[in-house]
Amino acid sequence: MVRLRSALIYAAVICSVAQAYGSTDFAAQESAAIENFKDVLDGIKTNTDKQVDFVLKTEDLSFAKTPLMPDSNSVDPVPVDHDRTYQVFVSWSLGEAEIKNLIKEYHDNREVELVFRGIPDGLTLQDALAKVQRLSLETKSNTPVLINPVLFEESQIETVPQVRKVVGKQTLYVVSGTTSVQAADEQYQKDKVSRPKAIGPGLRIAERDLIEVLKERLAKVNFSELKDKALRRFWSNQVFAELSPATTSRVRKLDPSVVVPQDITGVDGSLIHKAGDRINPLDIRPFTQRLVIIDPSYEKQINFAKAQIENYGDKQNVVIILSEVDRQKGWDGFTEVQNKVGRAVYILKDDVRTRFSIDFTPSVVTAADRSFYIEEVAGESLP
């Protein structure tokens, strides 16, 4: 399981091997596991990007900070929001074999989680998570592995390994030079301070701070260019109705009633509607709009829309809908039509076209006497 904790840029992998991964073909196991986590990994990237963007705009990391070490001048406990009692700070500088041993050692230990500061150079976040996932699959371990640079910063972790213990909502100690929570507990019992004497030597942290890496990557993104490309793609990807101009003026009546196929009952068992009842949605909610569907490539139809607004705008909500837009003009053409009619316009969607059987332009949809009326106006009738 991969998770992203709110208020922290935080990636976690709890790697368990389900029966579905029981094959001895490791490559197949890894492929299945990565595919299984694909959506969640995408979610991590999206949420992380949003948080980094927030940091860049506000230059404020306070939303992600919770003091982890007790303040000697404060009598109040320092709040720490963690599910696990022990965090073992690690790095790939310890070696893959050591990381693998730790994942295996703390299998089924609900008090311990491993914490990395970032991802190895040259790897994406997904690849880094997959690397840990591979070790977890090999060891069949469910030990949680986190990527949480905020914990490193606030615990002042400059070397690895180190062990931090949290009791209740307060950090009890941080012991360096060990990956053993038992050894860390014993050292704390000897020294009785929040920073006991180091048990062993420390190694440099191979990974850079994930937040800093993401900020650098984000700074290289040309958002203006991405926005322009997205806007250009919008019109090329649009599917328009491409309706023909009406050649004959006519008005069609549409009864929106539906027949209830089976009894509908409330939670208390009372009958709301019995099978065979006819329900007219206009009895439930009146339709007050006046939908005017036009093809803006015809100037007469634009003038028709303006006249509809002028004649009915005081009584009804006149909504102007375009059957298509000049792809070459794109947003400029769309804005040009809005300026001509003097209000916002919309693109005709297939569900609206189908619901009212819109086949020609211009068409006007209104409702009266429990029915919809679709009026088609021939071009020769337009002013």
Side-chain angles (χ1 to χ4, degrees), residues 99-296:
I99 300 298
K100 184 176 180 179
N101 287 337
L102 290 173
I103 292 175
K104 185 175 182 179
E105 177 182 348
Y106 290 117
H107 171 63
D108 273 349
N109 189 325
R110 296 184 177 276
E111 293 189 313
V112 179
E113 58 192 4
L114 308 184
V115 187
F116 283 89
R117 184 171 69 176
I119 60 178
D121 288 341
L123 290 185
T124 64
L125 179 59
Q126 292 190 19
D127 289 340
L129 294 175
K131 184 176 182 179
V132 176
Q133 171 71 12
R134 176 173 58 82
L135 296 182
S136 296
L137 285 169
E138 289 178 353
T139 58
K140 297 185 178 181
S141 171
N142 58 8
T143 302
V145 181
L146 323 179
I147 299 177
N148 191 334
V150 177
L151 288 182
F152 273 75
E153 178 187 350
E154 294 181 341
S155 298
Q156 301 176 4
I157 305 298
E158 300 296 338
T159 61
V160 290
Q162 298 197 41
V163 175
R164 182 171 71 93
K165 184 175 183 178
V166 178
V167 177
K169 293 292 183 179
Q170 183 172 344
T171 298
L172 186 61
Y173 66 69
V174 175
V175 177
S176 61
T178 184
T179 58
S180 169
V181 297
Q182 181 179 352
D185 275 339
E186 292 173 355
Q187 189 65 36
Y188 172 73
Q189 292 301 323
K190 291 179 183 178
D191 297 350
K192 297 293 185 179
V193 293
S194 61
R195 284 282 184 178
K197 181 181 178 181
I199 295 176
L203 298 176
R204 69 175 183 84
I205 302 171
E207 302 78 29
R208 295 179 57 208
D209 185 307
L210 179 61
I211 296 177
E212 295 302 319
V213 172
L214 292 176
K215 286 169 65 176
E216 288 180 5
R217 293 181 182 179
L218 200 62
K220 296 177 182 178
V221 176
N222 188 331
F223 288 103
S224 178
E225 181 180 349
L226 290 178
K227 179 182 177 181
D228 290 342
K229 288 182 178 179
L231 291 176
R232 288 194 297 270
R233 286 197 304 269
F234 177 83
W235 293 110
S236 62
N237 293 336
Q238 280 294 311
V239 178
F240 296 123
E242 298 183 356
L243 304 178
S244 301
T247 57
T248 304
S249 295
R250 63 171 180 168
V251 177
R252 293 182 288 111
K253 181 179 179 181
L254 176 65
D255 182 359
S257 299
V258 294
V259 178
V260 178
Q262 60 186 29
D263 290 351
I264 300 176
T265 58
V267 292
D268 59 353
S270 60
L271 182 65
I272 299 176
H273 288 288
K274 65 178 183 296
D277 280 353
R278 292 180 63 85
I279 300 176
N280 189 321
L282 293 176
D283 292 334
I284 302 171
R285 183 177 181 181
F287 184 83
T288 59
Q289 293 103 320
R290 186 179 188 88
L291 307 184
V292 180
I293 298 94
I294 65 169
D295 181 344

Side-chain angles (χ1 to χ4, degrees), residues 17-33 134 137-138 140:
V17 180
Q19 189 172 5
Y21 303 144
S23 169
T24 56
D25 184 350
F26 170 72
Q29 292 179 0
E30 181 178 18
S31 176
R134 176 173 58 82
L137 285 169
E138 289 178 353
K140 297 185 178 181

